[in-house]
Amino acid sequence: MAKSLLYITLTISLLPFLAISFSPESPTDRRVLVLLDDFAVKSSHSLFFDSLKSRGFELEFKLVEDPNIGLQRYGQYLYDALVLFCPSVERFGGSINVASIADFVDSGHDLIIAADTNASDLIREISTESGVDFDENAAAMVIDHTGYAVSNTEGDHTLIASDDLIKSDVILGSKNIEAPVLFQGIGHSVNPANSLALQVLAASPSAYSANPLSKLSSPPSLTGSAISLVSVIQARNNARIVVAGSLSMFSNRFFRSGVQKAGSSTKYEKSGNEEFFTELSKWVFHERGHLKAVNVRHHKVGESDEPAMYRINDDSDYSVEIYEWSGTSWEPFVANDVQLQFYMMSPYVLKTLSTDKKGLYSTSFKVPDVYGVFQFKVEYQRLGYTSLSLSKQIPVRPFRHNEYERFLPAAYPYYGASFSMMVGFFIFTVVHLYSK
Amino acid sequence: MARSTSRDAEALFHSLRSAYVATPSSLKIIDLYVGFAVFTAVIQVVYMAVVGSFPFNSFLSGVLSCVGTAVLAVCLRIQVNKENKEFKDLPPERAFADFVLCNLVLHLVIMNFLG
Amino acid sequence: MAAAAETSSDRTLRSAFGSVLSFFILLLIGVLAFSIRLFSVIKYESVIHEFDPYFNYRVTQFLTKNGIYDFWNWFDDRTWYPLGRVIGGTVYPGLTLTAGTLWRILNSLNIPLSVETVCVFTAPIFSAFASWAAYLLTKEVKGAGAGLTAAVLLAMVPSYISRSVAGSYDNEAVAIFALIITFYLYIKTLNTGSLFYATLNAIAYFYMVCSWGGYTFIINLIPMHVLLCIVTGRYSSRLYIAYAPLVVLGTLLASLVPVVGFNAVLTSEHFASFLVFIIIHVVALVYYIKGILSAKMFKVAVTLVVSIGLVVCCAVIAVLIALVASSPTMGWSGRSLSLLDPTYASKYIPIIASVSEHQPPTWPSYFMDINVLAFLVPAGIIACFLPLSDASSFAVLYIVTSVYFSGVMVRLMLVFAPAACIMSGIALSQAFDVFTRSIKFQLPGISGKSDFDGGDTSSSSVVAENDAAKPDKSEETLKERPSRKNKKKEKEQVEKASVEKTSTKSKKEKRLLVLPLEASVIALLLLVFLGSFYVVHCVWAAAEAYSAPSIVLTSHSHDGLHVFDDFREAYAWLRHNTEVDDKVASWWDYGYQTTAMANRTVIVDNNTWNNTHIATVGTAMSSPEKAAWEIFNSLDVKYVLVVFGGLVGYPSDDINKFLWMVRIGGGVFPHIKEPDYLRDGQYRIDSQATPTMLNCLMYKLSYYRFVDVDGKGFDRVRRTEIGKKYIKLTHFEEVFTTHHWMVRIYKLKPPRNRIRGKTKKSKTKTSATSSSRKSVARKKNPWH
């Protein structure tokens, strides 16, 4: 009981540090709104939805034109995440529009966008808001004459088998996805200057984006591995977005079909799509890679209370507990690269925190010989993980007037001289008065 | 030239001594006291030059206490000197009381500054 | 010898009457000095004025709350973020301790005054003290009559009023008192040769060091005077007693003040006193030896000592010069250097030059600040030379040096004002003396003349001046009496003895200087007229020119009085609507007020000790929005405060100060170049302004939404339409603008949550419209 109470207080104290997430205690999304062009998608993509349901998500399917849909009611968001499986939508019903979706993300909610060839301007605009740009040519598809999937009868090489996955255990799980992922749809690009967006599934260097039905008259605007097939974005408030250029990627057909990459002799019984999206959905719905830091503590060595102010050259202990959400519970987060800065305009002390493998990170250091208003800063930004940014302001003061060293041996002659003067004065007074 | 200078110096020395012998003994005591203070001050300066000026406040208070004592004693000497016509009206008791007050202030400050 | 003919009982009565009268006059002068400074409280309210006083007020509050030791060790983390400031070690504590003590005494007497009230009224109280000190000083120089006149003049001198009106809680308020009392005690010691006064002098000097950085003026002026006395052959053992203990005790006491510390022995400002200290010892020794030796022997000694002494002196001077030269800026602080070389600051330190009170004054400001005294000062100097005593030579030296310093910096007019008052007091009193004496000489029947012209004057202070002349006369007769030593105290006897000789001499001169009756009467009337003109001017200055608290502004227009209370409105908004730890950036002028009134952390403030930090803020203000945002964000700034006077015509706003921000910023960060902000060397904000100017943060923040007011964006300070009317802010958002737009507060937007794609906004806009158009079309389709 006491422990849970402590836990609650800790999480409350944590609130300012963590980005405004859903419920800080269990960050995994629960209520998901799925917007569809057409209810047929519900059955044609049932494998994907079933995997979500089996993990405990409450899916609510709505048609985009439904006039009653809305993301929030009375200022409260009704859903934790939004899935847009409606590439051709021109206008949402109800109160949803681009701005409301942007607000939905900005208040910390997650989003999956699936586009397709001939994606509507609305979907493009939402993607642009998120930071990815679809090929401006509406009819363009990604074509790859060397990386296509051979098991297909189609001859225009738009069904691509890509295995250029991002290497991140956090985003795609620790298990390696062996089979290539099938893709058929529009390509998009991510601005390399955009530090928030990542290519998760990139096209091969030989791919390009063009309309397969017309002849290529001018050089394609997107070529090579700059074409992103699936991208993820983690916003600064740790809201996560997945943008895929193909709706059919999620379909049961693609999940079940076997795949053989052109030029490769290995034929996989099953494409990598199911595994890929299961893992990716775990990431995007915060079942993985979500960190929290609690119990930030600092005190002088040998004391336990947190001081309001340090003195220069004090010895200080700093500790923080970091946990990762496993989907069901908070597990200790283990890493060896969490660093603490003692910061005033630039880091004066930079130390790697040592961990006890139970989530507690700690270090001790000597406060520099500079006074000023410092900050304890932990900036932990790793690929796929939510960013941790803890800072705590603490002033460092110089010595008080009575804290300087006294009775220095080197100064004894001066002390002696001063006191001899006083004694001399006394003797002199006596002598002077009685000499008359 | 050199010989005449040294003879002059000798004569000067003699006359200085004879003049000084005539000063009253109370003034001589003050002179002794001043000499003691100046001597202590010089020793401290030499010590500082050797050891370095690290506890500068201690050095400063040490030297200044000596210099202050000397200066105040000189002032007292000027005032109680009966030959000095400027202070004929100032009784020596009053002069001495002022001197004591001044010294007390000085040593109070020194005590404050020494640490 | 009219006075000698009177009976002795009559004389005692008259002298007693004179001293009682002068006591009451002094009391009235004190009341006058206090009450003339209350205009600001009456016209506005009892508030702290200006900028620096707010800091002093805040420090005093801390002192009264936490006690002296915490004050001593106060590390303030609310200013100069993130550097912080060690208040105890960087502040002159005199004023704060004075007001704190005053408050404590009042509270222990069960007089429950708030700290603010005490702070507001500290300056007027001390100006009364200062005029009494001026009386004492002038009395030592030229007698009681001159002293009373000087006290009256000082009580009203506009220059001093400008710094000591009620609410102007600044260091100078107590420092001027400390300055005068230190000078008085020095002169007193010089005249009496008493160690008692020498001790008091050192303590007064200590108080001065506590109060104001201007103490270096004392520690340079007194050695100069000593040197002058030695050179002109006026050395006496009194001079030794006045000077030597002052240097030793004064230096020790000064080192006790944390802000001065070892500077008291290490910086060049103080070297002059040590040099003179050595010289006076040598001179004293020479005089002593001269005294005990015969003349012939002394000559021998001189030739001997000179030959050795020259060598020693050369060595010592060489060492000293090497010491001074080894330190950067030759061991002088920037402000002192700009005093010695008036062009120094404008060349090298824009931050000193940017402060208006560090500029050289203009001639009208002399007339404004000391008025008719400017004409009386030369007369006073002449009066000091007849006869020249140690004291009067000191007064002359004081006025000459202070005239120079006031010519370099407006702020030092304040040092000059007491000197001018003393000189004018002497001049006026001497003039009255001469005229009344000649009237009296020709009309032996009229004994006093106060009723003579007291009837036709209306102003009270002119009466005071006439009264001042009267005890002066009685004092004069008192001096003319044959010496009655046993009645007077010993310490004054020396002075009297010296005055005695001169007075007999001057009496003869005066006999010769008898003027015709008519001329005297007319001259007297003219003097009275001059005096009343001075009084009228002073009252006007106190009431109109110097009593505005600058935190509340008023303006008169055809439809009555307008009060602009925007500053307090803005600070109150900050205090109530922002987090306690939020940082507010503004130009340094407003730093003290923000910390004191809004209780928020500021980046820079009026204590301009760190040039780089100020330059950082200056650079941010003169950078484009994005660069500025990055600078501010790196300093954890949450809010930016700008002062804008364009709507109501408040001229000292940030746009007018902006060139200094550019200069100071450019002094440290060379990518900010002043010519980029000037069109053909002209500073302008209209459509002719340079693009750099139009795009800098200060311009944007000042004129954001300004065009909405009148549709044209007419700036009433610069009297022009602004150059860029529709300003869009991307990294800042306006959170508060005061009623008259004088203070505008902006908030830094957090970094964007998402980074948008490359597609241009305009394109998405068109696509959005097209999509909506399409959708409309599609919606129509079913009805087709």
Side-chain angles (χ1 to χ4, degrees):
Chain A
M1 181 60 205
K3 201 177 169 188
S4 71
L5 204 69
L6 184 75
Y7 190 64
I8 288 163
T9 50
L10 289 185
T11 47
I12 287 168
S13 69
L14 172 83
L15 267 173
F17 302 116
L18 266 182
I20 311 116
S21 191
F22 331 113
S23 70
E25 269 184 69
S26 59
T28 308
D29 299 340
R30 287 292 142 214
R31 298 162 302 167
V32 182
L33 176 67
V34 184
L35 289 180
L36 306 170
D37 270 340
D38 152 10
F39 272 125
V41 175
K42 192 177 167 186
S43 53
S44 66
H45 293 60
S46 61
L47 282 173
F48 176 66
F49 295 132
D50 288 344
S51 92
L52 289 182
K53 275 182 195 154
S54 68
R55 298 211 307 272
F57 293 98
E58 301 161 14
L59 302 185
E60 197 170 322
F61 297 93
K62 287 274 169 70
L63 274 181
V64 279
E65 273 123 352
D66 190 338
N68 297 322
I69 55 172
L71 290 173
Q72 55 178 335
R73 185 185 295 156
Y74 312 128
Q76 296 283 319
Y77 279 103
L78 299 170
Y79 306 103
D80 299 321
L82 180 64
V83 178
L84 293 177
F85 276 4
C86 46
S88 58
V89 61
E90 296 286 358
R91 192 174 166 281
F92 290 110
S95 61
I96 298 181
N97 54 27
V98 176
S100 75
I101 290 175
D103 286 345
F104 184 70
V105 172
D106 288 347
S107 53
H109 300 90
D110 303 321
L111 181 64
I112 295 177
I113 305 171
D116 219 332
T117 322
N118 296 319
S120 70
D121 286 331
L122 191 58
I123 288 293
R124 285 164 184 276
E125 205 178 324
I126 295 169
S127 311
T128 308
E129 281 292 330
S130 314
V132 301
D133 302 302
F134 281 106
D135 191 341
E136 286 175 28
N137 182 355
M141 292 181 88
V142 183
I143 305 170
D144 191 342
H145 295 302
T146 56
Y148 58 93
V150 287
S151 61
N152 201 278
T153 49
E154 290 170 50
D156 56 2
H157 297 167
T158 55
L159 183 68
I160 295 166
S162 172
D163 50 9
D164 191 3
L165 298 167
I166 192 170
K167 286 175 186 54
S168 164
D169 287 354
V170 188
I171 297 176
L172 292 182
S174 50
K175 219 175 115 211
N176 212 0
I177 297 171
E178 300 269 319
V181 177
L182 287 172
F183 177 90
Q184 185 173 36
I186 190 167
H188 61 263
S189 65
V190 171
N191 186 355
N194 188 341
S195 56
L196 303 175
L198 283 172
Q199 291 186 339
V200 178
L201 186 67
S204 75
S206 58
Y208 64 96
S209 173
N211 187 347
L213 302 177
S214 64
K215 274 197 95 172
L216 207 56
S217 53
S218 58
S221 56
L222 290 174
T223 53
S225 51
I227 302 176
S228 177
L229 305 177
V230 176
S231 300
V232 295
I233 294 115
Q234 177 166 282
R236 289 205 170 86
N237 63 355
N238 293 331
R240 289 171 176 174
I241 302 170
V242 169
V243 180
S246 155
L247 179 60
S248 46
M249 280 180 93
F250 297 87
S251 68
N252 298 355
R253 189 162 65 87
F254 277 43
F255 273 29
R256 286 286 169 253
S257 79
V259 61
Q260 182 182 10
K261 204 174 170 182
S264 159
S265 55
T266 39
K267 185 171 187 326
Y268 296 94
E269 278 302 304
K270 210 176 135 227
S271 71
N273 285 32
E274 181 169 17
E275 208 180 345
F276 176 73
F277 279 113
T278 309
E279 295 299 326
L280 198 59
S281 67
K282 278 184 185 168
W283 180 82
V284 74
F285 291 146
H286 289 267
E287 282 176 72
R288 195 163 48 220
H290 192 97
L291 301 178
K292 73 163 182 180
V294 289
N295 248 347
V296 179
R297 261 188 249 183
H298 61 89
H299 52 84
K300 287 183 198 169
V301 170
E303 292 176 20
S304 57
D305 292 341
E306 201 167 283
M309 198 182 251
Y310 280 104
R311 198 191 66 191
I312 53 171
N313 294 333
D314 268 346
D315 290 304
S316 167
D317 276 341
Y318 179 89
S319 66
V320 60
E321 289 170 33
I322 302 178
Y323 296 98
E324 185 185 1
W325 180 250
S326 68
T328 49
S329 64
W330 289 104
E331 301 293 330
F333 176 69
V334 179
N336 56 4
D337 54 357
V338 186
Q339 284 184 321
L340 169 73
Q341 304 174 34
F342 199 57
Y343 182 93
M344 181 177 78
M345 293 208 280
S346 60
Y348 277 72
V349 173
L350 185 62
K351 285 196 100 170
T352 305
L353 294 165
S354 56
T355 175
D356 66 348
K357 313 273 181 196
K358 288 183 188 119
L360 181 72
Y361 289 79
S362 63
T363 189
S364 64
F365 63 95
K366 196 181 189 69
V367 173
D369 194 5
V370 179
Y371 59 81
V373 182
F374 282 82
Q375 283 172 334
F376 289 107
K377 262 193 176 183
V378 174
E379 295 279 345
Y380 191 69
Q381 272 135 4
R382 290 293 177 275
L383 183 70
Y385 286 106
T386 52
S387 59
L388 281 183
S389 167
L390 315 174
S391 72
K392 194 158 200 182
Q393 183 174 317
I394 185 89
V396 174
R397 64 171 171 80
F399 286 116
R400 285 173 69 93
H401 70 287
N402 50 8
E403 283 172 345
Y404 289 100
E405 216 177 335
R406 276 192 172 169
F407 307 114
L408 307 157
Y412 276 126
Y414 307 132
Y415 301 153
S418 304
F419 285 108
S420 75
M421 276 304 116
M422 287 171 209
V423 173
F425 166 65
F426 188 69
I427 295 170
F428 170 75
T429 313
V430 172
V431 170
H432 186 80
L433 286 179
Y434 287 95
S435 68
K436 271 173 230 149
Chain B
M1 181 63 201
R3 201 180 305 141
S4 76
T5 320
S6 66
R7 201 171 50 238
D8 279 351
E10 213 166 282
L12 177 71
F13 187 66
H14 271 290
S15 58
L16 265 179
R17 232 174 75 173
S18 60
Y20 190 72
V21 166
T23 52
S25 63
S26 65
L27 291 191
K28 277 184 186 162
I29 292 169
I30 298 179
D31 286 342
L32 195 70
Y33 182 52
V34 171
F36 166 62
V38 171
F39 177 67
T40 322
V42 169
I43 285 180
Q44 287 180 69
V45 171
V46 170
Y47 177 78
M48 188 275 274
V50 173
V51 175
S53 66
F54 162 55
F56 193 66
N57 57 334
S58 303
F59 162 71
L60 213 60
S61 55
V63 170
L64 282 182
S65 84
C66 295
V67 174
T69 310
V71 163
L72 292 178
V74 168
C75 289
L76 179 70
R77 189 188 191 286
I78 290 170
Q79 287 180 336
V80 299
N81 192 351
K82 303 218 166 36
E83 286 166 33
N84 199 334
K85 287 153 208 80
E86 277 181 85
F87 296 100
K88 224 184 282 170
D89 306 323
L90 194 70
E93 291 78 17
R94 159 87 199 227
F96 188 72
D98 287 353
F99 168 74
V100 170
L101 172 80
C102 213
N103 258 300
L104 286 181
V105 172
L106 174 74
H107 289 299
L108 217 67
V109 176
I110 294 289
M111 285 302 285
N112 209 337
F113 199 53
L114 199 59
Chain C
M1 278 275 172
E6 291 171 17
T7 59
S8 67
S9 67
D10 200 19
R11 263 182 245 132
T12 18
L13 197 68
R14 279 193 67 172
S15 80
F17 182 66
S19 55
V20 168
L21 196 61
S22 54
F23 173 76
F24 277 109
I25 291 168
L26 279 177
L27 211 61
L28 283 176
I29 289 172
V31 172
L32 171 71
F34 183 78
S35 52
I36 201 170
R37 287 166 169 81
L38 297 186
F39 276 112
S40 61
V41 175
I42 294 163
K43 287 182 69 178
Y44 296 90
E45 56 188 298
S46 175
V47 286
I48 310 270
H49 294 194
E50 299 272 346
F51 304 111
D52 287 18
Y54 269 96
F55 170 73
N56 295 328
Y57 170 51
R58 182 164 162 256
V59 174
T60 313
Q61 274 184 321
F62 185 89
L63 171 72
T64 50
K65 213 178 287 167
N66 298 342
I68 179 132
Y69 281 109
D70 277 348
F71 165 60
W72 213 250
N73 296 303
W74 185 17
F75 174 71
D76 186 4
D77 55 351
R78 301 204 79 85
T79 59
W80 289 95
Y81 181 85
L83 305 169
R85 178 181 173 195
V86 185
I87 298 282
T90 54
V91 78
Y92 286 99
L95 175 76
T96 319
L97 290 177
T98 309
T101 320
L102 215 60
W103 180 81
R104 192 140 293 179
I105 291 171
L106 286 172
N107 265 30
S108 64
L109 293 175
N110 286 329
I111 305 172
L113 285 179
S114 71
V115 180
E116 190 182 2
T117 317
V118 174
C119 292
V120 165
F121 290 104
T122 302
I125 291 171
F126 270 80
S127 59
F129 291 166
S131 41
W132 292 336
Y135 162 73
L136 291 171
L137 174 58
T138 322
K139 191 180 155 202
E140 285 301 314
V141 176
K142 263 301 190 236
L148 287 175
T149 324
V152 171
L153 294 177
L154 185 71
M156 297 189 296
V157 68
S159 167
Y160 186 29
I161 287 179
S162 75
R163 288 319 193 94
S164 62
V165 289
S168 178
Y169 180 56
D170 213 344
N171 284 339
E172 286 91 336
V174 294
I176 292 301
F177 162 69
L179 181 84
I180 300 174
I181 199 82
T182 311
F183 285 153
Y184 158 67
L185 285 166
Y186 170 69
I187 297 290
K188 186 81 183 170
T189 325
L190 194 56
N191 281 342
T192 59
S194 155
L195 265 181
F196 174 67
Y197 284 108
T199 317
L200 288 187
N201 190 13
I203 290 168
Y205 173 66
F206 173 58
Y207 186 59
M208 177 70 192
V209 177
C210 280
S211 308
W212 197 30
Y215 76 93
T216 44
F217 180 62
I218 296 185
I219 204 64
N220 283 307
L221 182 64
I222 290 181
M224 268 166 82
H225 178 243
V226 170
L227 208 59
L228 184 78
C229 284
I230 292 171
V231 168
T232 53
R234 303 182 70 96
Y235 170 80
S236 65
S237 38
R238 283 177 287 112
L239 191 66
Y240 180 87
I241 292 172
Y243 185 64
L246 172 69
V247 170
V248 178
L249 272 177
T251 306
L252 262 176
L253 285 164
S255 340
L256 279 183
V257 181
V259 62
V260 179
F262 295 149
N263 285 349
V265 284
L266 291 182
T267 55
S268 308
E269 278 97 340
H270 306 82
F271 280 172
S273 64
F274 300 133
L275 201 66
V276 173
F277 183 69
I278 295 167
I279 291 172
I280 200 172
H281 273 97
V282 173
V283 172
L285 194 68
V286 168
Y287 271 83
Y288 172 67
I289 291 171
K290 194 178 176 183
I292 62 169
L293 286 182
S294 61
K296 184 174 152 271
M297 276 289 129
F298 180 66
K299 220 170 239 170
V300 175
V302 165
T303 48
L304 202 71
V305 168
V306 161
S307 50
I308 301 165
L310 266 183
V311 178
V312 176
C313 275
C314 286
V316 167
I317 288 172
V319 167
L320 266 182
I321 288 176
L323 264 180
V324 171
S326 65
S327 60
T329 74
M330 316 285 275
W332 293 80
S333 68
R335 261 172 225 198
S336 314
L337 266 182
S338 63
L339 275 183
L340 297 180
D341 173 12
T343 58
Y344 177 82
S346 51
K347 267 189 281 186
Y348 302 109
I349 319 174
I351 198 139
I352 289 184
S354 76
V355 183
S356 63
E357 54 183 33
H358 291 164
Q359 309 280 356
T362 51
W363 284 111
S365 77
Y366 268 102
F367 188 74
M368 175 72 197
D369 276 357
I370 57 172
N371 199 243
V372 299
L373 302 187
F375 309 116
L376 291 171
V377 165
I381 295 176
I382 293 168
C384 276
F385 275 105
L386 327 151
L388 188 70
S389 65
D390 288 346
S392 63
S393 69
F394 179 77
V396 170
L397 198 64
Y398 176 24
I399 186 114
V400 169
T401 47
S402 62
V403 163
Y404 170 72
F405 287 137
S406 69
V408 178
M409 257 189 209
V410 175
R411 188 178 173 168
L412 293 176
M413 283 293 267
L414 203 56
V415 175
F416 171 59
C421 288
I422 290 163
M423 280 302 165
S424 313
I426 292 170
L428 267 183
S429 126
Q430 293 279 330
F432 271 106
D433 204 30
V434 169
F435 296 137
T436 52
R437 188 174 300 281
S438 51
I439 290 170
K440 196 171 162 189
F441 185 74
Q442 296 187 359
L443 300 173
I446 301 169
S447 54
K449 51 99 200 86
S450 62
D451 43 53
F452 176 70
D453 48 19
D456 56 14
T457 52
S458 49
S459 171
S460 65
S461 76
V462 175
V463 176
E465 270 173 28
N466 288 337
D467 290 348
K470 211 176 107 189
D472 171 44
K473 202 160 70 65
S474 62
E475 188 76 11
E476 202 77 32
T477 54
L478 195 130
K479 278 176 194 157
E480 281 169 28
R481 262 178 278 145
S483 55
R484 298 174 51 192
K485 284 169 195 153
N486 49 352
K487 200 184 163 290
K488 303 286 280 177
K489 282 181 191 159
E490 308 94 325
K491 53 182 177 178
E492 287 175 11
Q493 279 169 356
V494 183
E495 177 222 347
K496 261 181 71 182
S498 63
V499 172
E500 216 171 307
K501 274 179 268 151
T502 59
S503 68
T504 46
K505 211 195 294 168
S506 62
K507 224 188 312 160
K508 268 180 218 147
E509 280 168 37
K510 275 172 189 159
R511 187 76 50 79
L512 294 172
L513 282 173
V514 166
L515 296 169
L517 177 66
E518 296 77 14
S520 316
V521 171
I522 290 170
L524 265 182
L525 283 175
L526 280 178
L527 279 185
V528 168
F529 177 71
L530 199 67
S532 49
F533 179 67
Y534 173 73
V535 170
V536 168
H537 173 78
C538 290
V539 171
W540 172 82
E544 300 294 332
Y546 291 137
S547 61
S550 94
I551 190 94
V552 186
L553 305 165
T554 56
S555 84
H556 296 274
S557 67
H558 55 275
D559 52 346
L561 185 77
H562 289 278
V563 177
F564 302 114
D565 205 358
D566 286 34
F567 286 105
R568 289 196 291 185
E569 187 187 347
Y571 294 133
W573 186 90
L574 276 177
R575 190 171 64 240
H576 293 298
N577 294 287
T578 59
E579 298 283 322
V580 176
D581 274 339
D582 283 349
K583 283 87 191 168
V584 180
S586 64
W587 191 231
W588 57 262
D589 293 22
Y590 315 103
Y592 277 166
Q593 290 182 348
T594 310
T595 38
M597 285 202 265
N599 192 22
R600 292 294 173 268
T601 309
V602 295
I603 306 299
V604 292
D605 67 23
N606 309 41
N607 177 271
T608 52
W609 62 274
N610 186 326
N611 195 20
T612 318
H613 219 53
I614 292 179
T616 308
V617 175
T619 308
M621 292 294 191
S622 36
S623 301
E625 209 187 328
K626 188 165 165 41
W629 185 88
E630 274 158 15
I631 293 172
F632 280 140
N633 193 47
S634 72
L635 290 169
D636 299 333
V637 169
K638 270 274 187 60
Y639 296 92
V640 180
L641 181 151
V642 294
V643 172
F644 171 63
L647 185 71
V648 291
Y650 171 62
S652 54
D653 64 351
D654 278 346
I655 289 285
N656 273 2
K657 291 171 185 170
F658 181 61
L659 269 193
W660 287 112
M661 302 182 201
V662 173
R663 272 175 214 154
I664 292 169
V668 177
F669 302 100
H671 68 276
I672 301 288
K673 294 184 196 69
E674 193 181 338
D676 291 349
Y677 297 84
L678 302 174
R679 172 75 72 194
D680 304 327
Q682 268 186 312
Y683 179 62
R684 53 198 311 167
I685 49 119
D686 54 10
S687 48
Q688 296 289 304
T690 58
T692 324
M693 178 72 205
L694 294 178
N695 283 318
C696 70
L697 181 71
M698 179 50 79
Y699 190 91
K700 283 187 165 181
L701 296 191
S702 289
Y703 292 117
Y704 178 63
R705 287 200 310 116
F706 183 52
V707 73
D708 300 351
V709 176
D710 57 355
K712 291 204 301 280
F714 184 77
D715 185 324
R716 289 173 64 180
V717 176
R718 267 66 59 174
R719 309 207 157 278
T720 169
E721 272 185 37
I722 57 174
K724 191 173 173 183
K725 294 185 178 170
Y726 299 97
I727 293 167
K728 215 178 131 277
L729 292 173
T730 50
H731 294 86
F732 293 83
E733 59 182 330
E734 183 186 13
V735 285
F736 187 68
T737 293
T738 55
H739 185 233
H740 300 99
W741 286 48
M742 276 167 58
V743 185
R744 313 194 67 184
I745 301 170
Y746 292 84
K747 189 177 183 179
L748 269 76
K749 282 188 189 164
R752 290 187 63 87
N753 193 31
R754 296 159 284 113
I755 299 175
R756 281 179 51 85
K758 264 184 289 190
T759 323
K760 295 280 179 293
K761 185 77 187 167
S762 57
K763 195 188 172 306
T764 56
K765 218 171 227 169
T766 55
S767 73
T769 51
S770 69
S771 75
S772 66
R773 195 175 349 103
K774 257 188 263 170
S775 65
V776 167
R778 207 177 61 133
K779 237 186 169 179
K780 275 181 185 165
N781 269 346
W783 282 272
H784 211 59

